[in-house]
Every structure is written in C-alpha cells, then in structure tokens.
Amino acid sequence: MLPLELNGVCPDEGDSYVVHPKICDLKMVPNLRRSNSGFCKSKRKAHFATGNNEKENLSAWISENIRKKECVYFVESSQMSDTGRVMCECGYPREQHLEEATKPSVFLGKEWDPKRHIQEMPTDAFGDISFVGLGPKVGKYVRVSADTPPCIIYQLMTQHWGLDLPNLLISVTGGAKNFNMMPRLKNIFRRGLVKVAQTTGAWIITGGSHAGVMKQVGEAVRDFSMSSSCKEGKIVTIGIATWGTVYNRGSLICPMGGFPAEYVLDEESQGNLSCLDSNHSHFILVDDGTHGRYGVEISLRTRLEKFISEQTKVKEGVAIKIPIVCVVLEGGPGTLNTIYNAITNGTPCVIVEGSGRVADVIAQVANRPLPEITISLIQKELSILFRDTYELFTEGKIVEWTKKIQDIVRSRQLLTIFREGKDGQQDVDVAILQALLKASRNRDHFGHENWDHQLKLAVAWNRVDIARSEIFTDDHEWKPADLHPVMAAALIANKPDFVKLFLEQGVHLKEFVTWDTLIYLYENMAPSSLFHSKLQKVLVEEKERSAFSKVPKIQLHHVSQVLRELLGNSTQPLYPKPKHAERHRLSIAVPHIKLNVQGVSLRSLYKRSAGRVTFTMDPVRDLLIWAIVQSRKELAEIIWAQSQDCIAGALACSKILKELSKEEDDTDSMEEMLTLAEEYEHRAIGVFTECYRKDEERAQKLLIRVSEAWGKATCLQLALEAKNMNFVSHGGIQAFLTKVWWGKLCVDNGLWRVILCMVFFPLIYTSFITFREKRLQPMSCLTRTHAFFTAPVVIFHLNILSYFSFLWLFAYILMIDFQATPSWREYIIYFWLFSLVCEETRQLFYDPDGFGLLKMASLYFSDFWNKLDVCAILIFITGLTCRWIPSTLYPGRIILSLAFIIFCLRLMHIFTVSKTLGPKIIIVKRMMKDVFFFLFLLAVWVVSFGVAKQAILIHNEERVDWIFRGVVYHSYLTIFGQIPSYIDGVNFNLDQCSPNGTDPYKPKCPESNKDKRPVFPEWLTVILLCLYLLFTNILLLNLLIAMFNYTFQQVQEHTDQIWKFQRHDLIEEYHGRPAAPPPFILFNHLQLFIKRVLLRQPAKRHKQLKEKLEKNEEVALLSWETYLKENYLQHQQSQEKQNMEQNIRDVVQRVAVLAELLDLDQVKRTGLVEQRLTGLEDQMSQTAKTLAWIVRALRGNGFGSEEDAPTVVPSKAPELKEYGLEEKPKETTALYHVSARNLLYPSSSTVRFPVPDEKVPWEVEFQIYDPPFYVADRKEIAACDPLRDSLEALSKINYNAMDGLINRQSFHGTYTIQNRLPLNPMGRTGLRGRGSLRCFGPNHALHPIVTRWRRNMDGSIYRKSLKKMLEVLVVKSPVSDHWALPGGSLEPGESLPLKLKRVLRREFWPQFQNLLNQGAEVYKGYVDDPRNMDNAWIETVAINVHFEDKNDVQMKQLNSFLQGSDPEACVRWQLVDKRIPLYTNHKELLQKVTALLGAYY
C-alpha cells in the first residue's frame, strides 16, 4: 500500500470515471454575456413561440457574440457566373459586396487572400425559419462564422434555443447527393434512427440540406412526427450546412432577426446550390465569406461535436459524459475522411451495408483479416462500387484509401457493420447502441469504471433490452453493491424496468436503503408532486419556528410529519425525530450524492464503514412510501411485490393515495390516485383471501397484529382509516368481527337465547347456551358467568335496556313529575347521567397505545356520535343548572326537553348494528347533507319572495318579530299550502290585523284606502306568488327528491358494504366497554380508578383487536403471508394470460415476429445465393486462366514448367457461411509497426505519406513513395542532431556505434544508411527526418516495470482464474491524460530517464539503479511509437523490478521516496489486467512481465 501522503497526492480514481466537462474559457471570447441561468441547465422546455422580451434578448445576445464573414476586397475572378456576371474570387458578384470592398483601398494591387480580405462582422441572419407551403412547422436558424468557438454555439442551443442536453449525439454522414436505397433497408434505417433518437433523447446532426443522407434523415423524422401525437417526443435534428451553398438564403437575412423568416424550398431552380431540409428543427449555417464552396462546415461541425461529447449531463441522479456515434450511409471521399477521423478520435461508427459506395467498400472488407486487405482488393472493390467515377482514382489515391481502410478495420472495436437481417441485427437502433457499448467495453479503464459507464449509458437511454443483452452477460460478474448508485438513479428517473432488472441481478434492498440514501431520494423527488410541496411547507414552518436563516435540509422526521397527516392518527411516527446526539449521524450532508456533480460518485455513499452506515428498519416499506407518494405505479408495484408485510403495506398505500387525492388540484392526477388506491385495496383483499382460504385463524391474526413498520398500527386500523369498505366487508374480516362481537360465546347461539339468559340468569349454567372454549363447558363454573356478561353482544343489549329505561324515566320526569323540589325519581336521573358522564370521560382518557391526551381527544371528537353525546350532556347540565334556580325553573325544563331530543337521536347509533336498520340510518345521515345544500337554495327564494311581499303589502313595519314572520315564516308556510288570505285582496278583513301595528298579537294591516280597501297591486302579488310556488314547490322540492333518490340508490347499491364497515365502530366500542350498564357502570369506573390512579397500572388493549406478537411468531407469520402473496401474484399473472384481449395481442405479436423471421430468412437465402454465385465466378475465372495456359504450352511444343501453371482455386461456395454464423477474423499481432504510420504526426499538422501494410518493408517496391521531411523545433537545439540541410554536420555523425555520449547502436543489428541518413529497420513510416526525436537513428529509452503482488485484507495474494494478480507502479504527468510506466528516453550519458527522476527523490536514485541492476530484463528492442520516422526511431530496454514480499524494505523505501521534483505528477499502484489504461507499447511490455511471473493478465 502507498503511504498516506502518496495517496493524498494521487487520489483513487477508480470511481471517478466521469470526466468533468471541458467547457471552453468563456472569458477568452470577446463581449460574451454570461447567462444567469448557468452554463448547463438540467431542465429546459423547448419552445418556438417566444415573447417579445425573449426575442429582444436573443437579438442582443446574438449581435454581441455571433459573427458572420464578408469579403471586404473585390478581386475579379477569371470565372464568370452562370448568368455572365463578373464574380469575385470569393464567389460573390460585385453587387453583393460592401461598398467599401469595390473602392480602391490599401488592398489595391494585392492578390486576394481569404485570411486578410475576409473579415468578421455581426451576423444578420438568425431567428425562426418557416418553410412556405410545407405546414406550420417552425425551426431555428443562425448564420455563424466558421471560426466561431463551439462553446458559443453550444450556449446558443442550450440556453437561448432551449434544448435539453442530449443523452446521445448521433452524427449522420454520407452521400450529399441523392442516392437509391432498397426500400426495405430504407425503412429499417428510418425506423431505427428515429427509435434510438426518441428513446434515448438524442440529438441528430446532419448536413442539413434537402439531398442525400440528410434528406433520408429528414424524411424519417417527418414520418415519425406525422405518426406521433406526443408533444414531448419531438426529435432534435440539427443541420450544419455551408451558408454559401444554401439556395435562396437571401430570405433568411434579417439584421434584427426573422420571427419567422419565410424560406422557399425550390429544388428545380437550385442549380449547384442546395436547399435546406424542411424536416430539420435547427440549422447552423457556417459562413467563411465565400459562395458555392462545399465542405466549409466540416471543421466547425467536428469541433462542435467534439465539444458536446466532452460535456457531462447530470439528470435524475445519473451523470454521463455525452457519447457520440457516427452513422454512415453511402458517401464518397469526404465520407471516408470523416470515418477515418472519427475512428482516430475514438468515436464508434456504424456502417450501413447496402447503402452504396464507401459504406459498402468498408462493409465488404470489414470481416476480412488485415493481411487480406490489400491495394488490389480495394482497387477491385472501388471498380465495382464506383463505376461512374473510377477513372478519377489515381494510384496515389487508391494507396491512400487502402491505408485509411486498413486503419479503420484495425479498430474493430469502434466499427460496427449493420447488415440487414444478418449477425442477429434487425434494427438500426440496436446496432447504434451496441456500437457505443462495444466501444466502451473495449476502452481501457481502471477497475469497474468501464462497466459502470456502460450501465449508466443504458439507464440514461432507458434501454433495458440493451442492458440485458450487452451488459449483464457472463463477461462480467456484477456485485450487488456495484449496482447501488444506478439503482438510486433508476428510482429517481422512474425507470421501473431497470429497478426490476437490478433486483433480478441481486440487489438487496436491506443493503441498498440507508438513511442517507433515503434522504437523497426525498431530496430528488419530482418537484411537481404534491408530497414535495407538503414537505417544503413543513421545512418552511420549521424555519419560522426555529428562526433559521435558511430552510433546513430534508430529514426523515420531516417526511414522517407529512406521512403522519396522511396515514391518520392511529399510527405512530414512522421516522422518529433523532436526539441531538444522533442527529449528526442521521443528518450527514450529501452534496456529493449526485453522481460526480461535486467530483465524488454516489458510490461513495455505500463505501462507508459498517459503523457509519445506518440502515432503516424496513427498506421495502421506505421505498414503497417514496414511490407511492409520487404516484409511480410501476415502481410501487415492483417494490410492493418485494415486501413481507404486504397487506398492511397495500392498505397504507391506499390510505396515503386517498388523502393526497383530496388535496390534488389536477383532476386527472386525482383520478389516477383514486384508481391506484382502489387497486391496492384489491391487492390487500386478494392476499388476505389467499391467507383466509389457507388458514382462517392465522389470517385473522394478521388483521390484529401490531405492525412495527407501519407505526404500530394493525391492518384493520389501516383499512378503517382509509375507509376501505371492500376490504372490511370481506367475509373473513366480518367473521372475525362477529367472533369479537360474541366474545367467548359461540356465534351459533341465537340472539333469543342470549336475551333469555339475560332475563333468566340460571340458564347460563345449563347447555341452553354454548361457549367457544371447551374449558367453559362444564356447569357451575364462575368463569361462565364472567364470559357471558363480558361478551360485547350481552353488554350491548344490557346497555340498550338501560338506555331505554333512562329515556322512559327522563320522559316521565319531564311530562309528569317535574316539581319545584326534585323527587327521588329525578335524583335517579341525575345519578344515571353522572354514570354516562363518567363513561364518556373513560373513553376520552382510555389510551392503551400511549398516544397522549391531545391525540386521544382528537380521536374522540372526530366521531360524530361522541360530539352528539357531549352536546346532550352539556345541554342537560345547562338545563339542570337553570332548574335549581327558582326564577329559571321553566326555562330549565325547556332546556332539558331539548336535551331529551338529542338523547333520543343517540338511539340511531345504537341500531347501526342491525342489518335491517343500520343501512337505513346511514341513508338518513347521507340525506341530511343533501338537505343542507337544499336549504341554501331554498333560502334564496324564501328571502327574496318574503322581502318583496312584505315591502309591497306592509308599510314601515317596525316590529322585528312580525318582520321575521312576514319575510321567512309566512313564506316558508306558503310552500306547504298556507297562503295568506289577504295576498290577493279578495278575503281582506281588517279585524284580523292591526291598522297601526300597535296590537302585539296581530300583524300590521296591508296598505288600504279610505274605504278600507286594499290599494296594493293584487295582480303583482299574485304573479309573484305563482312564480314563487312554481320554483319552490315544483322545481326545488323535486330537486330535493331527486337528490334523495340519487343518495338512496348510491347507498343502496353498497348497503351491505357500508353496514359491514360501520358496525366495526360499534363492536369496538362495546368490546372495550365495562360489562355493567349505567348506572351500575360506576362500580367498574371505581375499579378502574383504583387501578389506574392509585395503583398506576397501565391500560391494556384486549388482544382480540390488537396484539403484539413474539418475534419468532411474527417472523413465521410474515413468511407465511409472503408465500401466499407470491401465490396471489402468480394467480394474477395466469388470469392476465387467460384474458382474451391479452391472448389476441400475444397472437398478433407472434405473427408479426414470425413474418419478420420469414423475411429475414428470405434475405439470408438471397445473400447466400449471391455468395455462391460470386464463388462460382471466381472459379470460372481461374478455370479460364488455366485453359489459356494449357493452350499456350501446347502451342510452344512444350508442357511448360509446373511453377508457371496457375493454380485452380477450389470453389469458395462451401467455405462461405451465412453472416449470422460467420466467425470473426482472428486478430494476429501486427507484422509491421502501426503507430509509427499514423497519418497525423503527434503535436503537429504534418501528414505522413500513406503506407499500406504491404508496402512497409524497404524490400518491397513502392515507386510512388515520396514522404515529406519533418523536424520539429526543440528547445534544447544544441543537444539534437542537425537538420537535413546541414550536410556537413550530418556527415560527422557516426552511425552504428557510440558517437561520443550518444549510443547510435541498434538492438536489431546494423541498420542501412542512405543519403547520409539511417533507415528505420522496421520499414517505411511515411515521414522522413527525425520529427520530435533527439537523434537520427535509434533513440534509446529505459522502462522500469515495478511490480508487486495484489493482496487481500488478510495479506494473502489475490488470485483470479487461479492465477496471481500483479500491481504495477504507473505515472501520469500533468500534461498528459494517459497513464504510463515510469520511464522514458535516456539523455546522453544518463542511466535513468528524466521522467523517472521527476517522480523519485534524488537521494533514492542510486538505490533504484541498484534495483534495476538486480531486475529481470523482459524486452530489448524496437518500440512502435507514433513519433518514429524513416530516419529516427525509439528502442528501449524494459526491466522488471518485482517485490515478492509484502514487507520488503526496499519497497517501503520506494513508496516513501516517490513523488520527487514534480509535485503535479500522479503516482499509484494499479491492478494489472488487459484493460489497464496505458499506452499500447507499455501494455505489451506489461504483458511480457505477467508471462514471466506467471501472473494473470
């Protein structure tokens, strides 16, 4: 292990595999305005209809940051335009130049130079683009300079155009002219491209013109948009075209922005130019100041694609570096360069075979071994696929194509050939995603980071099919802990298929769900969810209470507070608030949880020690709650299927959803919640039914079991809180309630038997009544008496008898025996009422669950009948108080009469237990609500008619009581037919009224004249009366009847369920009620007072309604419930399969698959026939050659030599295989150097002469070989060999010997000297000179390979595949992104490389030299390095320094002396395997070391 200080210098990068975005320095861009919203936003909504302010802001930003290019000097060109106009060298006519460009200036007399005569100025073309006559589609466009930094364009697209960051970048390239594709292949390509873009959220980048491959992409997007109605499914298609080649571009010019600019697509008149494709959504038009020159956009497009692919997208817990893939259709030389550059940069490419030209050339040779890809083969393929233009291919061009195709095919991990119906491929989307994963899989990496990256890509793309087929394979063994970060990401992103996949792969929720994980999940809830807003409200309230400066972070006790509101008062907090000592542990700050947002991955959350990670009590419950409060149906379904306490969980989910639906404003969301709540209620019913069928007793025990996971509530309590009538009305639950109702009596006893035993007490001791428990069956047992009178059914009937007696005596007192001095009967009433008050007090304070007084009070007053009891008692006490005061004796009797009414209403609750009367009482209660709504409507008409009638008939009535009678009372009676006689003036009689309103017992007379006849308009009052009766008697009363009828029918349909649900409350009340009825119940109250107050014994709940089981019994019961839940789920699946609609869908799907397979089989057969015909043609050609040789031999009168005879090649047909079964070509070690022939020399713009594999040896003739000469500038010129033009200095060099301090001897023997320059012993490289190397000839290097054994925690050597595993010392310099072995070039006269000295302290250099002297030499010779040239190359000596013992003193000294003069260099011990990210030649050296030591590689 490295010392701590070394690990601090180089932190472990095993988990930090997501590279931060390399955003270009915005400060370097002049006048760039930074957006307040930040450079990358996680959520933006693309919209085209922008407001005026947004348009103004966009115009201002573009005018300051986006430039175009204009020619500022007109130089007449020798070429004329098609119309005969004089053109400038830039391609534009004189009239399209600026006025200053055509005037004599400082440029006069100079040749036209684009670098000097084309200048940048603010762009004049941007905004929205609308294609005339092609529908209402509106896109975005901008004209940009070819030198625009890609970060500016990226900012324009993401911030001002409102594009979401992509999960994938698809660069489509190929033929720019229209080409023909087979209809089937065209359809497959279009469907696959759109599918991959739509499912992964990708951007598609093309050339943007209405021709060639761009047109194919545009039509694919068009077909998708026409068939899709989902607005969120819009595909972002970005066209990057050359401004100077766009036809009709003048209509796009608008200095202030076109909103929209109308563009006409006219293919017939475009000539050599091209029109924009109307199916692209965004256009970037690249301007270099010229006209008619294609390919201007290539450089900017490449830089923009590279910049986007370097960005990191963080969304829903997943951080991915945006991957890029190149898709190729058809194409010419430019397309080949694009493919070559993409492969060189590590971008995977998908070649669509059958599209033509370049794509088919590469596809034809891709499966061949590299030695077979020769110049003649490429020449043959070009002659077939480029028939029309083959004569344009020179010998040099064919050589260049061969070299590039060899390099492309050499990187097979980046190359994917899509063959229609072959290699198991059916869709382009699968091929594209497989290409990305294949490239990622073959990329060098540390540890698991590559597999993690692939899985993150699959999650971001939401393609679980790709994850199953490409990632979770036998090639890699996934540990459950490795999946925890992506599991959290899948949960947040609501990707249930991935959650299900991870559970199948062994993720244990008990290990996954920690306190920190749960907090992280709640922090990343959907902001649109109702639960999130309720949680934020709790945080704000806590901030106000605690006077915090900012809103506190979410903790689980905040979540518990909201859940308590949703689950009801019967549950205790699910996440108790931690104490101060624990709060720090539970409230660990998690700013780093989002994967790599702060540079640390979410994986670190699961790498803590066991002492720091706090696991929750029930992880399945926690995830289920998190999913259900967001109404995530599929996720909740998967998690619920994992739960043990599934019935309680389903009922709790139903309760939560019903409570949330009450506060949900959106109607659709509310209906979804209610539907989901009903679904979970049915699941609870289904599982309970399975349990009840299996074992009734254990099933009923599930109902009353105290569930610690759900706040110490029972299933029955949760069902009652959620008002799950279907569940409560289940036969098994009703049987349980009936058993509770009868207590220890058998339920078979008739009610009449119980009543007889109540009347004739001795019958209890006979066999007249039976008990459930056999021990109570013997006669003369006191327990039989206790069992009988403690049965709720007996207590209930005794209380009925007592209550009727109370009401009878109360009525007798009020009507007959109400004296000034109370009689003894009245005192009995008072005593009786006191016993009722004591019982209500007992119910209020009865707290067996320890909820507390406040909660018990809220529970008590939440019941309507308890409120009615309290109201009756208070009115009775008020009347009793007035009764004892002589002056208020009569008012006291009135008040007591009102109390009697309320006591009578209490009878309705008593009879709810009756199956006949219970539902009717429920109907009455529901109708009372209808009456209140009706009274509001009625009051409007009564008051309006009463006020109008009173004002018309009576003048200035001042008596309030008579005003009330006239306005309300008389109007109300009119509805029932008591019409005032004087209202129509016919039965007007002054004797029945008071003219002046002085008689308090008569109403005031209506308006009359001197003859005492009414003067009010009788016709008006009659009309008002008729209208009033019409609306009240006919309309409103019928409305009330209709409301009653609707309520009755609604309740009547569910009468049985409602009655069964309501009877529980009564059963529970009398189950916990003292046995004696009032007033004898006071004896029980006295007993309870002694126990609770004096003896302080806690209250205990009867086990029949709530029981806490022993741990072992509870575990066994839950396991049994889980087993039956699985049976229920299997039964549900079988029912779905038997569903007719599902069967029809399955049959349709199978037929479609069968048809597809038949089509694929036909394609395969056709391809096989073509292969056989090709083989037959080759055989016939060889046969013809053989016959020609025979003829020539016979004519020459000789048989000829056998060596000259052409060999008859056997038929190839038997060797040819179907593509689906074709074996991949075996990769062999390259015979020649490869890196030394890379076309672009490192750190320069110098391009090598292309050298195909077959032309590498100097012995092979290569007449056209003419490599350029290149020598790089070096700082230490004095220590380097001279340049070529110094012939005198070159002649002084002593090759193949020691030249002073410089060793010019090669490990491969004597090398050839030609023209005073040495020749590379390994062959041609395509470049002469010494490049960036120090010397001509061999440049010697030293590579120490320091290794040790990888060890387990116990010190034993770690093994894989029975082989020991090594660790090697690797270094990374600050100027390089690659890790390397600690070695390098040797300076003249030095024994240690300079790079090694930088990481070792000076005092350790001699000791390390001794280690090298004792080490084993594993290689000495030529190194295939990209810096090698024809006249200079690198040779090295690789020495292995291996530490066998873990306690080796020299190894400990090495660790302590690492990190020398270069503090920025990073050093680490790294596990050795074939994917270790080192330079290729260093990996070859490392492989030799593993072979030497017999270690795993």
Side-chain angles (χ1 to χ4, degrees), residues 368-379:
R368 290 178 177 267
L370 278 172
E372 294 185 9
I373 304 176
T374 60
I375 298 176
S376 59
L377 176 64
I378 300 301
Q379 186 176 8

Side-chain angles (χ1 to χ4, degrees), residues 567 569-572 651 655 703-707 710-724 727-728 848-849 851 859 1061 1064 1068 1101 1105-1106:
L567 285 173
N569 293 323
S570 62
T571 60
Q572 294 185 357
L651 295 171
K655 169 64 175 173
L703 295 176
I704 60 174
R705 180 189 66 87
V706 174
S707 176
W710 293 101
K712 296 185 178 180
T714 65
C715 291
L716 195 55
Q717 281 181 316
L718 291 171
L720 293 167
E721 285 282 351
K723 292 183 173 56
N724 290 327
F727 182 82
V728 177
D849 299 314
F851 288 145
L859 287 173
F1061 182 81
H1064 169 271
E1068 184 180 27
R1101 177 178 287 275
L1105 287 180
K1106 197 168 188 179

Side-chain angles (χ1 to χ4, degrees), residues 478-485 506-507 511 603 606:
W478 287 91
K479 297 180 180 178
D482 297 335
L483 300 175
H484 287 173
V507 171
E511 298 176 2
R603 187 176 303 282
Y606 301 95

Side-chain angles (χ1 to χ4, degrees), residues 1-4 6-7 1348 1350-1351 1367 1446 1451-1452 1455 1469:
M1 296 294 293
L2 287 176
L4 293 177
L6 180 57
N7 288 332
R1348 68 182 184 187
R1350 175 69 176 266
R1351 297 186 182 271
E1367 286 183 340
K1446 66 175 181 179
M1451 183 181 68
K1452 294 182 178 180
N1455 286 336
W1469 288 99

Side-chain angles (χ1 to χ4, degrees), residues 527-597:
S528 59
S529 66
L530 179 60
F531 190 87
H532 181 270
S533 61
K534 292 176 72 68
L535 198 56
Q536 294 301 318
K537 185 179 179 181
V538 170
L539 295 176
V540 172
E541 291 176 353
E542 180 171 324
K543 173 193 172 186
E544 294 174 352
R545 288 196 308 267
S546 306
F548 291 148
S549 59
K550 58 181 181 179
V551 177
K553 291 185 178 180
I554 294 176
Q555 297 299 326
L556 292 184
H557 64 269
H558 299 136
V559 177
S560 178
Q561 187 175 340
V562 181
L563 290 176
R564 187 81 177 277
E565 299 175 5
L566 299 177
L567 285 173
N569 293 323
S570 62
T571 60
Q572 294 185 357
L574 300 186
Y575 309 108
K577 190 173 183 179
K579 300 177 181 178
H580 294 289
E582 301 176 352
R583 186 169 302 176
H584 177 71
R585 178 173 63 85
L586 297 181
S587 305
I588 299 173
V590 233
H592 59 278
I593 291 183
K594 286 187 178 180
L595 289 102
N596 296 281
V597 175

Side-chain angles (χ1 to χ4, degrees), residues 172 175 177-183 185-187 189-191 193-194 204 206 209-223 237 277 279-280 329-330 355:
V172 184
K177 296 181 180 180
N178 291 327
F179 57 90
N180 295 323
M181 286 178 64
M182 292 184 293
L185 180 61
K186 182 189 297 184
N187 293 334
F189 169 74
R190 291 183 179 182
R191 184 177 66 247
L193 181 67
V194 167
I204 301 177
T206 73
S209 60
H210 191 64
V213 67
M214 294 81 74
K215 185 176 181 180
Q216 297 287 348
V217 173
E219 291 176 351
V221 174
R222 178 201 61 194
D223 295 343
T237 315
D277 185 72
N279 298 304
H280 284 62
L329 273 81
E330 211 243 7
S355 56

